[in-house]
Amino acid sequence: MLTRKTKAVTRRDLQAMPFDIEQKNGASSTKIFSYSPKFAEWTLDEDVAANSTVQLPISYTVGKEKLTLTCNGIQLNLNNFSLVGSSGTTSSTVTILFPLKAGYEMSASVLGV
């Protein structure tokens, strides 16, 4: 399998508004959960062959968070890419299962807990 990391130029790396869940304890409260969705857009600097590994500008937790990828505005599904890493580990790579051309506009968003 060919492995190539692309040089991605991040145009926008946004953090969506985080949210917290707190437990009230009388006059005080304790934060029991905090989450911030992640989003990034970039342009591919070079062609990417099918079945190549692509480095993302954001990370996701395999099996815990949902990674959504788009290519030129078209949402990809798991027939188009596969996650890289063991369940529960943090990853910032995917294997793209079809060829990509330099100049393609990509985006990634990560949701879930």
Side-chain angles (χ1 to χ4, degrees):
M1 175 169 96
L2 173 67
T3 300
R4 178 192 302 169
K5 291 185 178 178
T6 64
K7 297 175 185 172
V9 177
T10 302
R11 289 190 339 205
R12 209 168 27 155
D13 189 1
L14 303 175
Q15 292 293 325
M17 181 180 285
F19 61 89
D20 299 319
I21 297 175
E22 298 179 342
Q23 182 177 15
K24 299 277 184 183
N25 300 320
S28 66
S29 63
T30 303
K31 187 185 301 186
I32 58 174
F33 179 77
S34 182
Y35 182 73
S36 296
K38 295 176 269 187
F39 178 81
E41 290 181 329
W42 70 99
T43 302
L44 292 176
D45 287 339
E46 59 186 38
D47 291 350
V48 178
N51 299 310
S52 293
T53 301
V54 174
Q55 183 73 38
L56 304 175
I58 59 176
S59 62
Y60 63 95
T61 303
V62 179
K64 185 175 179 185
E65 296 177 306
K66 180 183 180 197
L67 174 65
T68 302
L69 292 178
T70 66
C71 176
N72 289 337
I74 299 170
Q75 185 172 327
L76 306 181
N77 62 40
L78 290 178
N79 293 322
N80 307 121
F81 72 95
S82 60
L83 306 177
V84 175
S86 301
S87 184
T89 62
T90 300
S91 179
S92 60
T93 58
V94 294
T95 300
I96 294 292
L97 304 177
F98 66 99
L100 299 172
K101 297 289 184 188
Y104 278 8
E105 299 290 324
M106 305 292 293
S107 72
S109 62
V110 177
L111 300 171
V113 292

